[in-house]
Structures are given as structure tokens and as C-alpha cells.
């Protein structure tokens, strides 16, 4: 076989299979097209058969006329049926619609009384609610007119908390209401006033928190003493101190601390009015501190003497279940009350900073009187802001929210501080208010129109509880023993009991719905 024949053979071998493949592909495409056509025809035939079956079923189905059957078979009355409206009390309807009642705050905490909407028990504890995330601020504002029951509620809340491990501090009790309560629960009431032997040294070191290093403790004591002396001077002068006056106090205090193991206020006063030559080389220091010196002199030699001019004869014991500062002997002297409150607040602050101090109620009764003094208001504001850090629940007790007008004019710094106390309290308890106070109360506490309308009709011991965004109307209930202890109307009633034997309940859960005062 020559070369030409070989090339021709190779060409035929390569070309012939390609044409065969094209022919086979064409045959497969034609077969697939025929199969698709057959499937489409089969689907159309099945759909048509289904449609014919459905049409036959529709034709075989009979329907009632749109107006219903005629005659007796209609089973209808000749006229339109009208049922009379049914009216009843919410107490009765609550049985038919139980889901309308508020679920409450749970069963953990202190029993207060009865939820008048649900009929169940009402229990409250700011520490429990904080742990459950229902509130973010444990502070409480309590307002109500005289005789509405707010004082008894406050006393019930803190005394019933003591068995749960809480302690109670009352840094100022202008009416002496809490003295008997403190003694009854195993606590102590510190009574200060003219003619008594009790003395209160503002320069006491106070309680030393556990685990605090010596250097840090020394710095804290020095800082607290400077702040306290400045606050006392500012309270008596009724103005802020100048930098020169602060310098005069600082130098006099440092000299008094160096010269005595237990420095007392007369030492500081003497060194402000007669500074050491080494501190007053140019003779200007005595003049700069003259007004401050004479203001503090009132506390040791003037009309306010007898309470701060020597070492303390009473001791603030934070381990007691309750400590109260009874100011009823000096209630007529507003300046002396503010000074005593300033000293007791410094006492209390040292106890509050103790990390092992536990959880404590701090009660500010007659708050409208205390908030008139800038130094006290600033201390209260600081304690409210640090309530969660200290583990405390502050309670402010008012008669009416218009008492805030005594703090300062709208827009002033003092009024802003007072308003911030309300803003940092997510529990707001409002007892009966006079009609002319409704607008002020609703505006200050952010009440709704429905909540505002409830206030004038609240009975004795009944209060509107506004806890964050939830509202309750609660009837406070007292045991007869509590009623006798909390009574603040003994002089008006001649110590007469307001219950007969048949009226006395056997337990707090069965106590009467109407409780006695209760200012």
C-alpha cells in the first residue's frame, strides 16, 4: 500500500463516525420531543377529566337560599332579638373576667395589704424587685395629706423588713415618731436637745469600713471633717463659702487634729478666730475666716450651744436593727435641725460605705423641711445616686408635692436637685391628695389621667402605688400591735383604742381595711 492509499484510509476512518453521531443525536432529539408531546397530552387529558368531575359535583350540590328557608323551617322569631344590657360591680365581673386583674409583684418580700383590683395580697420589697429586673432604682417617694396613713405605711415597710435582715436608719426625725418604733425593734433612738446631757462631736472619725488601709482611712477622715465643717458653716451662714474661708477652715482643722487625739469643734473655732502665727504670717487669715469663725461659734457658745461643744456622749452603732436621730426637742429651730441632720448624715455615710453593712432603709421624714438646706440636699442627692452601690433604699416622705416650692424657684439648681430625687425613685406611693394638689402631683410624678382621678377618693390607708410603669391601688393592713405602736394621734384621742374586742383581727392578713393614722 502506497502513501496516497494510506492517507485516504485514515481520512475515511475519521469522517465516518462524526456523521453517524449527528444522525444518532437527531434521532434522540426527535424521540424526546415525541415523549414530551405525549406527556403534555396526558396531563391535559387528566386535567380535563378532573374538571369534568368537579363540575359534576357542583351541579349535584344543592344550597339553601340566601334568605334562608321559608316558613316554619326557617326557625326564626318574627322580630329582631334584643337582650337587655347587664351592669354589675367590678368585684363581681372579676370572676367572669379574671384576666383583667394585674398579676401583682409576686410573693417574695414584705406583706403590705390587699390589692383592691385583684383582691389578692400585695407584697413589696425593693431589693427583690431590683434583683428580678423589675426596677432599676430602689428609692421610694411617699406622699399624702395628714391623716391619710402614710406614716404607718412607712413604719410597716421598714419594721417588716427587719426580719429579712434589713437595717433602718432615720437620720432626722423632727416629730420623734420613730423613737418608740426603734426601741420596740431592739434599736436605739439618739435624742438631742437643749437641757439634755447628750453631745454630738462633728469631728468624730465615725465607723471605719472593714478592709480599709490606714493611709486611705486617714485621708477619708480628713476629707469628711473638712466637708462637714464647711457644710455646717455654710448652713449657718445660709450661703456658699469662699475659697479663702475654706482655707481658714482647713488650716484650723489641721492644727486642731495635730494638737489633740479627739479634736472638738471649739478647738477649730478658736483656731479660725485666732490662727497660728506660722499660718497667718501677714495677718490676713484671721480676717478671711472671721465670718466663718463666728458662724461656727454659734454652735459652741451662742444660741445653738450645748450640743456640739464636747466629745460625743452617744455612739452611732450600725449593727443595731434601727438607729433614729430624734430631733423633736429642737423642732422649733430650723437652723439647729439642719446642723444636726448634717452631722448625722456624715455619721451615716461612714456606715453606708462599709461593704459588709448589708441592705438598709434610709428614711427621710418631713422631707420638705430637710430639702430647704443646700448642704443637706446635696448629701441626699449623692446618697440617692449611689443607692445601688451602697445597697440602700431611700424613702422620702412628703405631705404634698407642692412642698418642693419651698426648695427653690423653678429653674434653680436646688430645685433641679430636688426634682432629680423624684426622678431617681421608681416607686412612687401617693395617698389621698386635696383637689387643688392634683395637677402638681400628677405633673411631678408623671401620673396618667386615670391615676390622677383616683387620688381624691382614696380612703385612709389606701394608696396608689406607681412602680415603674405599673399601677396598683393597695389597702394597707395593720395588726393591732402595730396600730398601737405606730399611733401618732394619742393626744387627740386621749390614748383611747379605736377598736373593740370584736373588731380586733387575729393576724395582719385579717386586719381591718380602715386603719388609724397615720399622718
Amino acid at each position: 500500500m502506497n502513501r496516497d492509499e494510506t492517507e485516504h484510509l485514515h481520512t475515511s476512518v475519521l469522517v465516518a463516525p462524526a456523521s453517524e453521531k449527528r444522525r444518532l443525536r437527531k434521532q434522540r432529539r426527535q424521540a424526546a420531543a415525541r415523549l414530551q408531546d405525549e406527556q403534555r397530552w396526558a396531563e391535559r387529558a387528566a386535567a380535563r377529566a378532573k374538571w369534568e368531575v368537579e363540575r359534576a359535583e357542583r351541579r349535584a350540590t344543592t344550597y339553601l337560599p340566601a334568605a334562608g328557608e321559608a316558613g316554619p323551617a326557617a326557625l326564626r322569631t318574627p322580630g329582631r332579638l334584643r337582650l337587655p344590657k347587664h351592669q354589675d360591680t367590678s368585684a363581681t365581673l372579676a370572676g367572669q373576667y379574671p384576666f383583667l386583674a394585674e398579676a401583682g409583684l409576686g410573693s417574695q418580700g414584705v406583706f403590705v395589704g390587699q390589692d383592691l383590683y385583684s383582691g389578692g395580697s400585695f407584697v413589696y420589697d425593693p431589693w427583690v424587685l431590683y434583683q428580678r429586673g423589675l426596677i432599676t432604682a430602689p428609692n421610694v417617694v411617699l406622699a399624702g395629706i395628714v391623716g391619710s396613713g402614710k406614716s404607718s405605711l412607712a413604719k410597716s415597710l421598714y419594721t417588716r423588713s427587719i426580719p429579712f435582715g434589713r437595717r433602718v436608719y432615720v437620720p432626722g426625725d423632727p416629730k420623734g415618731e420613730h423613737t418608740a418604733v426603734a426601741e420596740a425593734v431592739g434599736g436605739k433612738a439618739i435624742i438631742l436637745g437643749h437641757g439634755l446631757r447628750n453631745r454630738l462631736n462633728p469631728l468624730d472619725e465615725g465607723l471605719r469600713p472593714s478592709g480599709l488601709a490606714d493611709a486611705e482611712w486617714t485621708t477619708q477622715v480628713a476629707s469628711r471633717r473638712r466637708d462637714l465643717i464647711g457644710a455646717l458653716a455654710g448652713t449657718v451662714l445660709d450661703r456658699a463659702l469662699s475659697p479663702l474661708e475654706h482655707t481658714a477652715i482647713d488650716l484650723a482643722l489641721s492644727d486642731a487634729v495635730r494638737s489633740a487625739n479627739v479634736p472638738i469643734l471649739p478647738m477649730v473655732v478658736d483656731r479660725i478666730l485666732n490662727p497660728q502665727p506660722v499660718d497667718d504670717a501677714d495677718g490676713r487669715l484671721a480676717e478671711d475666716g472671721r465670718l466663718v469663725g463666728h458662724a461656727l461659734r454659734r454652735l459652741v457658745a451662742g444660741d445653738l450651744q450645748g450640743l456640739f461643744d464636747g466629745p460625743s456622749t452617744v455612739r452611732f452603732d450600725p449593727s443595731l436593727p434601727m438607729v433614729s436621730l430624734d430631733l423633736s426637742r429642737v423642732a422649733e429651730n430650723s437652723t439647729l435641725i439642719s446642723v444636726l441632720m448634717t452631722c448625722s448624715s456624715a455619721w451615716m455615710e461612714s456606715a453606708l460605705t462599709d461593704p459588709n453593712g448589708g441592705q438598709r432603709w434610709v428614711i427621710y421624714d418631713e422631707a420638705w423641711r430637710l430639702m430647704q438646706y443646700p448642704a443637706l440636699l446635696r448629701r441626699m442627692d449623692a446618697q440617692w445616686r449611689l443607692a445601688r452601690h451602697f445597697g440602700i433604699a431611700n424613702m422620702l416622705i412628703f405631705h404634698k408635692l407642692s412642698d418642693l416650692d419651698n426648695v427653690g424657684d423653678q429653674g434653680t439648681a436646688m430645685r433641679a436637685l430636688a426634682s432629680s430625687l423624684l426622678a431617681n425613685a421608681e416607686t412612687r406611693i401617693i395617698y389621698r391628695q386635696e383637689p387643688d394638689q392634683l395637677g402638681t402631683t400628677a405633673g411631678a410624678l408623671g401620673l396618667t389621667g386615670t391615676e390622677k382621678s383616683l387620688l381624691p377618693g382614696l380612703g385612709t390607708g389606701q394608696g396608689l402605688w406607681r412602680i415603674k410603669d405599673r399601677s396598683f391601688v393597695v389597702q394597707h393592713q395593720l395588726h393591732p400591735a402595730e396600730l398601737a405602736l405606730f399611733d401618732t394621734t394619742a393626744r387627740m384621742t386621749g390614748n383611747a383604742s379605736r377598736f373593740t374586742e370584736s373588731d380586733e383581727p387575729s393576724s395582719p392578713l385579717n386586719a381591718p381595711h380602715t386603719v388609724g393614722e397615720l399622718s
Side-chain angles (χ1 to χ4, degrees), residues 20-57:
E20 181 67 17
K21 289 180 180 180
R22 286 194 296 272
R23 184 180 64 80
L24 293 176
R25 281 199 299 269
K26 183 177 180 180
Q27 291 178 353
R28 285 196 295 271
R29 285 196 297 270
Q30 292 174 348
R34 287 194 299 272
L35 182 59
Q36 289 178 355
D37 291 341
E38 292 174 358
Q39 289 177 348
R40 280 196 295 270
W41 281 106
E43 291 175 355
R44 290 175 183 174
R48 183 173 182 81
K50 181 179 179 182
W51 176 79
E52 290 178 350
V53 170
E54 291 177 350
R55 185 176 65 173
E57 290 179 353

Tab-separated table of all heavy atoms in Angstrom, residues 20-57:
chain	number	residue	atom	x	y	z
A	20	GLU	N	-22.200	9.725	11.745
A	20	GLU	CA	-23.067	8.767	12.457
A	20	GLU	C	-23.537	9.342	13.782
A	20	GLU	O	-24.695	9.175	14.187
A	20	GLU	CB	-22.280	7.473	12.689
A	20	GLU	CG	-23.080	6.372	13.394
A	20	GLU	CD	-24.204	5.864	12.514
A	20	GLU	OE1	-24.175	6.106	11.288
A	20	GLU	OE2	-25.151	5.269	13.066
A	21	LYS	N	-22.655	10.065	14.487
A	21	LYS	CA	-23.036	10.683	15.764
A	21	LYS	C	-24.120	11.722	15.557
A	21	LYS	O	-25.042	11.853	16.349
A	21	LYS	CB	-21.822	11.319	16.421
A	21	LYS	CG	-20.831	10.318	16.954
A	21	LYS	CD	-19.649	11.027	17.595
A	21	LYS	CE	-18.637	10.019	18.138
A	21	LYS	NZ	-17.490	10.697	18.758
A	22	ARG	N	-24.012	12.522	14.478
A	22	ARG	CA	-25.032	13.521	14.220
A	22	ARG	C	-26.378	12.873	13.964
A	22	ARG	O	-27.423	13.368	14.420
A	22	ARG	CB	-24.622	14.380	13.012
A	22	ARG	CG	-23.501	15.360	13.352
A	22	ARG	CD	-23.365	16.398	12.250
A	22	ARG	NE	-22.955	15.803	10.978
A	22	ARG	CZ	-21.686	15.616	10.626
A	22	ARG	NH1	-20.693	15.973	11.434
A	22	ARG	NH2	-21.392	15.089	9.447
A	23	ARG	N	-26.358	11.780	13.256
A	23	ARG	CA	-27.614	11.093	12.967
A	23	ARG	C	-28.246	10.550	14.242
A	23	ARG	O	-29.458	10.682	14.458
A	23	ARG	CB	-27.346	9.941	11.967
A	23	ARG	CG	-28.616	9.214	11.518
A	23	ARG	CD	-28.239	8.115	10.557
A	23	ARG	NE	-27.419	7.106	11.207
A	23	ARG	CZ	-27.936	6.142	11.982
A	23	ARG	NH1	-29.233	6.061	12.203
A	23	ARG	NH2	-27.129	5.254	12.535
A	24	LEU	N	-27.416	9.988	15.108
A	24	LEU	CA	-27.947	9.445	16.357
A	24	LEU	C	-28.494	10.539	17.271
A	24	LEU	O	-29.525	10.372	17.929
A	24	LEU	CB	-26.855	8.654	17.080
A	24	LEU	CG	-26.389	7.371	16.370
A	24	LEU	CD1	-25.234	6.735	17.130
A	24	LEU	CD2	-27.551	6.391	16.258
A	25	ARG	N	-27.794	11.697	17.310
A	25	ARG	CA	-28.282	12.790	18.141
A	25	ARG	C	-29.631	13.281	17.647
A	25	ARG	O	-30.526	13.615	18.416
A	25	ARG	CB	-27.274	13.949	18.135
A	25	ARG	CG	-26.084	13.706	19.061
A	25	ARG	CD	-25.377	15.014	19.371
A	25	ARG	NE	-24.863	15.648	18.177
A	25	ARG	CZ	-23.625	15.437	17.691
A	25	ARG	NH1	-22.804	14.589	18.301
A	25	ARG	NH2	-23.243	16.053	16.586
A	26	LYS	N	-29.796	13.355	16.344
A	26	LYS	CA	-31.065	13.787	15.781
A	26	LYS	C	-32.192	12.841	16.151
A	26	LYS	O	-33.306	13.267	16.493
A	26	LYS	CB	-30.915	13.902	14.262
A	26	LYS	CG	-32.163	14.425	13.579
A	26	LYS	CD	-31.906	14.567	12.084
A	26	LYS	CE	-33.181	15.097	11.386
A	26	LYS	NZ	-32.966	15.248	9.917
A	27	GLN	N	-31.889	11.567	16.114
A	27	GLN	CA	-32.906	10.574	16.469
A	27	GLN	C	-33.312	10.708	17.945
A	27	GLN	O	-34.499	10.604	18.282
A	27	GLN	CB	-32.383	9.158	16.182
A	27	GLN	CG	-32.238	8.846	14.716
A	27	GLN	CD	-31.666	7.450	14.471
A	27	GLN	OE1	-31.251	6.764	15.426
A	27	GLN	NE2	-31.598	7.030	13.200
A	28	ARG	N	-32.314	10.965	18.794
A	28	ARG	CA	-32.644	11.097	20.221
A	28	ARG	C	-33.508	12.338	20.474
A	28	ARG	O	-34.426	12.326	21.281
A	28	ARG	CB	-31.356	11.176	21.048
A	28	ARG	CG	-30.651	9.830	21.181
A	28	ARG	CD	-29.620	9.877	22.299
A	28	ARG	NE	-28.539	10.812	22.014
A	28	ARG	CZ	-27.420	10.498	21.353
A	28	ARG	NH1	-27.231	9.249	20.902
A	28	ARG	NH2	-26.497	11.409	21.148
A	29	ARG	N	-33.185	13.458	19.781
A	29	ARG	CA	-33.986	14.664	19.960
A	29	ARG	C	-35.427	14.443	19.503
A	29	ARG	O	-36.369	14.895	20.150
A	29	ARG	CB	-33.361	15.825	19.188
A	29	ARG	CG	-32.106	16.394	19.853
A	29	ARG	CD	-31.769	17.756	19.278
A	29	ARG	NE	-31.454	17.691	17.853
A	29	ARG	CZ	-30.239	17.494	17.361
A	29	ARG	NH1	-29.203	17.336	18.178
A	29	ARG	NH2	-30.049	17.471	16.052
A	30	GLN	N	-35.572	13.771	18.414
A	30	GLN	CA	-36.925	13.508	17.924
A	30	GLN	C	-37.700	12.608	18.884
A	30	GLN	O	-38.888	12.835	19.141
A	30	GLN	CB	-36.846	12.844	16.528
A	30	GLN	CG	-36.315	13.783	15.462
A	30	GLN	CD	-36.100	13.068	14.130
A	30	GLN	OE1	-36.133	11.816	14.050
A	30	GLN	NE2	-35.848	13.855	13.059
A	31	ALA	N	-37.015	11.620	19.471
A	31	ALA	CA	-37.688	10.727	20.417
A	31	ALA	C	-38.091	11.495	21.682
A	31	ALA	O	-39.190	11.302	22.231
A	31	ALA	CB	-36.774	9.564	20.786
A	32	ALA	N	-37.213	12.419	22.164
A	32	ALA	CA	-37.525	13.200	23.344
A	32	ALA	C	-38.698	14.123	23.084
A	32	ALA	O	-39.574	14.323	23.943
A	32	ALA	CB	-36.296	14.011	23.789
A	33	ALA	N	-38.760	14.729	21.891
A	33	ALA	CA	-39.872	15.618	21.561
A	33	ALA	C	-41.189	14.857	21.530
A	33	ALA	O	-42.225	15.339	22.014
A	33	ALA	CB	-39.609	16.303	20.213
A	34	ARG	N	-41.161	13.647	20.938
A	34	ARG	CA	-42.382	12.848	20.920
A	34	ARG	C	-42.841	12.493	22.332
A	34	ARG	O	-44.036	12.544	22.646
A	34	ARG	CB	-42.153	11.560	20.093
A	34	ARG	CG	-42.082	11.802	18.586
A	34	ARG	CD	-42.210	10.485	17.836
A	34	ARG	NE	-41.135	9.564	18.176
A	34	ARG	CZ	-39.971	9.520	17.551
A	34	ARG	NH1	-39.709	10.365	16.540
A	34	ARG	NH2	-39.054	8.637	17.916
A	35	LEU	N	-41.881	12.175	23.211
A	35	LEU	CA	-42.221	11.822	24.587
A	35	LEU	C	-42.836	13.018	25.324
A	35	LEU	O	-43.819	12.876	26.063
A	35	LEU	CB	-40.966	11.339	25.316
A	35	LEU	CG	-41.162	10.888	26.778
A	35	LEU	CD1	-42.163	9.737	26.837
A	35	LEU	CD2	-39.831	10.461	27.379
A	36	GLN	N	-42.279	14.217	25.128
A	36	GLN	CA	-42.832	15.410	25.770
A	36	GLN	C	-44.244	15.704	25.283
A	36	GLN	O	-45.116	16.083	26.054
A	36	GLN	CB	-41.915	16.605	25.504
A	36	GLN	CG	-40.587	16.544	26.252
A	36	GLN	CD	-39.689	17.714	25.923
A	36	GLN	OE1	-40.024	18.533	25.046
A	36	GLN	NE2	-38.528	17.776	26.575
A	37	ASP	N	-44.449	15.523	23.996
A	37	ASP	CA	-45.802	15.746	23.459
A	37	ASP	C	-46.797	14.778	24.081
A	37	ASP	O	-47.919	15.145	24.427
A	37	ASP	CB	-45.787	15.586	21.934
A	37	ASP	CG	-45.023	16.718	21.246
A	37	ASP	OD1	-44.841	17.787	21.925
A	37	ASP	OD2	-44.598	16.551	20.090
A	38	GLU	N	-46.357	13.510	24.207
A	38	GLU	CA	-47.259	12.533	24.803
A	38	GLU	C	-47.582	12.885	26.262
A	38	GLU	O	-48.730	12.754	26.703
A	38	GLU	CB	-46.615	11.143	24.725
A	38	GLU	CG	-46.496	10.600	23.293
A	38	GLU	CD	-45.719	9.291	23.246
A	38	GLU	OE1	-45.248	8.857	24.344
A	38	GLU	OE2	-45.575	8.713	22.156
A	39	GLN	N	-46.552	13.367	27.016
A	39	GLN	CA	-46.792	13.737	28.407
A	39	GLN	C	-47.745	14.921	28.518
A	39	GLN	O	-48.631	14.967	29.380
A	39	GLN	CB	-45.467	14.074	29.100
A	39	GLN	CG	-44.571	12.867	29.351
A	39	GLN	CD	-43.243	13.244	29.966
A	39	GLN	OE1	-42.901	14.421	29.994
A	39	GLN	NE2	-42.493	12.249	30.421
A	40	ARG	N	-47.581	15.944	27.630
A	40	ARG	CA	-48.461	17.103	27.673
A	40	ARG	C	-49.903	16.707	27.381
A	40	ARG	O	-50.841	17.161	28.029
A	40	ARG	CB	-47.982	18.154	26.674
A	40	ARG	CG	-46.806	18.984	27.189
A	40	ARG	CD	-46.633	20.243	26.341
A	40	ARG	NE	-46.256	19.929	24.965
A	40	ARG	CZ	-44.991	19.818	24.552
A	40	ARG	NH1	-43.994	19.976	25.398
A	40	ARG	NH2	-44.731	19.534	23.285
A	41	TRP	N	-50.067	15.829	26.408
A	41	TRP	CA	-51.428	15.383	26.075
A	41	TRP	C	-52.033	14.607	27.250
A	41	TRP	O	-53.226	14.762	27.555
A	41	TRP	CB	-51.419	14.510	24.800
A	41	TRP	CG	-51.326	15.307	23.539
A	41	TRP	CD1	-50.258	15.438	22.723
A	41	TRP	CD2	-52.367	16.090	22.979
A	41	TRP	NE1	-50.508	16.268	21.677
A	41	TRP	CE2	-51.840	16.688	21.811
A	41	TRP	CE3	-53.691	16.383	23.333
A	41	TRP	CZ2	-52.591	17.530	20.994
A	41	TRP	CZ3	-54.433	17.212	22.513
A	41	TRP	CH2	-53.893	17.788	21.374
A	42	ALA	N	-51.198	13.813	27.905
A	42	ALA	CA	-51.708	13.046	29.050
A	42	ALA	C	-52.119	13.975	30.198
A	42	ALA	O	-53.163	13.780	30.847
A	42	ALA	CB	-50.655	12.048	29.526
A	43	GLU	N	-51.317	15.021	30.459
A	43	GLU	CA	-51.651	15.974	31.521
A	43	GLU	C	-52.927	16.733	31.198
A	43	GLU	O	-53.777	16.973	32.066
A	43	GLU	CB	-50.488	16.949	31.716
A	43	GLU	CG	-49.250	16.298	32.327
A	43	GLU	CD	-48.072	17.265	32.384
A	43	GLU	OE1	-48.224	18.389	31.865
A	43	GLU	OE2	-47.024	16.878	32.922
A	44	ARG	N	-53.060	17.128	29.930
A	44	ARG	CA	-54.271	17.855	29.538
A	44	ARG	C	-55.505	16.969	29.693
A	44	ARG	O	-56.560	17.430	30.151
A	44	ARG	CB	-54.152	18.338	28.104
A	44	ARG	CG	-53.131	19.453	27.919
A	44	ARG	CD	-52.969	19.795	26.457
A	44	ARG	NE	-51.939	20.824	26.276
A	44	ARG	CZ	-51.523	21.230	25.077
A	44	ARG	NH1	-52.041	20.695	23.953
A	44	ARG	NH2	-50.597	22.167	24.995
A	45	ALA	N	-55.351	15.705	29.332
A	45	ALA	CA	-56.485	14.781	29.444
A	45	ALA	C	-56.864	14.577	30.913
A	45	ALA	O	-58.052	14.560	31.269
A	45	ALA	CB	-56.137	13.445	28.788
A	46	ALA	N	-55.846	14.482	31.793
A	46	ALA	CA	-56.129	14.302	33.222
A	46	ALA	C	-56.782	15.542	33.817
A	46	ALA	O	-57.726	15.446	34.612
A	46	ALA	CB	-54.833	13.980	33.968
A	47	ALA	N	-56.289	16.748	33.432
A	47	ALA	CA	-56.879	17.973	33.945
A	47	ALA	C	-58.322	18.124	33.499
A	47	ALA	O	-59.191	18.542	34.272
A	47	ALA	CB	-56.046	19.178	33.490
A	48	ARG	N	-58.571	17.781	32.238
A	48	ARG	CA	-59.950	17.894	31.735
A	48	ARG	C	-60.866	16.917	32.463
A	48	ARG	O	-62.012	17.266	32.827
A	48	ARG	CB	-59.986	17.631	30.220
A	48	ARG	CG	-61.375	17.806	29.637
A	48	ARG	CD	-61.337	17.708	28.121
A	48	ARG	NE	-62.660	17.915	27.583
A	48	ARG	CZ	-63.242	19.110	27.390
A	48	ARG	NH1	-62.566	20.217	27.702
A	48	ARG	NH2	-64.468	19.202	26.878
A	49	ALA	N	-60.362	15.710	32.710
A	49	ALA	CA	-61.178	14.722	33.420
A	49	ALA	C	-61.489	15.211	34.841
A	49	ALA	O	-62.625	15.075	35.327
A	49	ALA	CB	-60.441	13.385	33.456
A	50	LYS	N	-60.485	15.818	35.527
A	50	LYS	CA	-60.708	16.340	36.880
A	50	LYS	C	-61.727	17.474	36.875
A	50	LYS	O	-62.607	17.561	37.734
A	50	LYS	CB	-59.375	16.829	37.452
A	50	LYS	CG	-59.489	17.361	38.857
A	50	LYS	CD	-58.128	17.805	39.379
A	50	LYS	CE	-58.256	18.357	40.793
A	50	LYS	NZ	-56.939	18.830	41.306
A	51	TRP	N	-61.605	18.351	35.849
A	51	TRP	CA	-62.545	19.479	35.753
A	51	TRP	C	-63.964	18.991	35.554
A	51	TRP	O	-64.926	19.514	36.139
A	51	TRP	CB	-62.117	20.377	34.602
A	51	TRP	CG	-63.071	21.508	34.365
A	51	TRP	CD1	-63.177	22.653	35.051
A	51	TRP	CD2	-64.069	21.557	33.344
A	51	TRP	NE1	-64.170	23.441	34.548
A	51	TRP	CE2	-64.743	22.782	33.480
A	51	TRP	CE3	-64.456	20.672	32.313
A	51	TRP	CZ2	-65.782	23.148	32.628
A	51	TRP	CZ3	-65.478	21.057	31.473
A	51	TRP	CH2	-66.150	22.281	31.649
A	52	GLU	N	-64.114	17.967	34.743
A	52	GLU	CA	-65.451	17.421	34.492
A	52	GLU	C	-66.031	16.790	35.756
A	52	GLU	O	-67.224	16.923	36.050
A	52	GLU	CB	-65.387	16.389	33.363
A	52	GLU	CG	-65.105	17.014	31.996
A	52	GLU	CD	-64.999	15.961	30.891
A	52	GLU	OE1	-64.955	14.766	31.264
A	52	GLU	OE2	-64.944	16.336	29.713
A	53	VAL	N	-65.169	16.129	36.538
A	53	VAL	CA	-65.649	15.541	37.793
A	53	VAL	C	-66.098	16.637	38.760
A	53	VAL	O	-67.163	16.532	39.393
A	53	VAL	CB	-64.544	14.672	38.432
A	53	VAL	CG1	-64.934	14.251	39.845
A	53	VAL	CG2	-64.281	13.444	37.571
A	54	GLU	N	-65.301	17.726	38.912
A	54	GLU	CA	-65.659	18.822	39.809
A	54	GLU	C	-66.946	19.504	39.356
A	54	GLU	O	-67.795	19.879	40.163
A	54	GLU	CB	-64.520	19.836	39.870
A	54	GLU	CG	-63.279	19.301	40.573
A	54	GLU	CD	-62.134	20.296	40.550
A	54	GLU	OE1	-62.261	21.312	39.825
A	54	GLU	OE2	-61.111	20.054	41.229
A	55	ARG	N	-67.106	19.680	38.027
A	55	ARG	CA	-68.322	20.304	37.524
A	55	ARG	C	-69.536	19.445	37.815
A	55	ARG	O	-70.602	19.959	38.200
A	55	ARG	CB	-68.193	20.552	36.016
A	55	ARG	CG	-69.379	21.321	35.440
A	55	ARG	CD	-69.173	21.626	34.000
A	55	ARG	NE	-69.128	20.408	33.191
A	55	ARG	CZ	-69.086	20.384	31.845
A	55	ARG	NH1	-69.055	21.534	31.179
A	55	ARG	NH2	-69.025	19.248	31.177
A	56	ALA	N	-69.330	18.154	37.733
A	56	ALA	CA	-70.449	17.253	38.043
A	56	ALA	C	-70.812	17.328	39.532
A	56	ALA	O	-71.996	17.306	39.890
A	56	ALA	CB	-70.084	15.825	37.642
A	57	GLU	N	-69.783	17.433	40.383
A	57	GLU	CA	-70.060	17.552	41.823
A	57	GLU	C	-70.784	18.856	42.138
A	57	GLU	O	-71.696	18.891	42.958
A	57	GLU	CB	-68.753	17.471	42.601
A	57	GLU	CG	-68.113	16.098	42.587
A	57	GLU	CD	-66.798	16.067	43.344
A	57	GLU	OE1	-66.343	17.161	43.749
A	57	GLU	OE2	-66.239	14.967	43.533
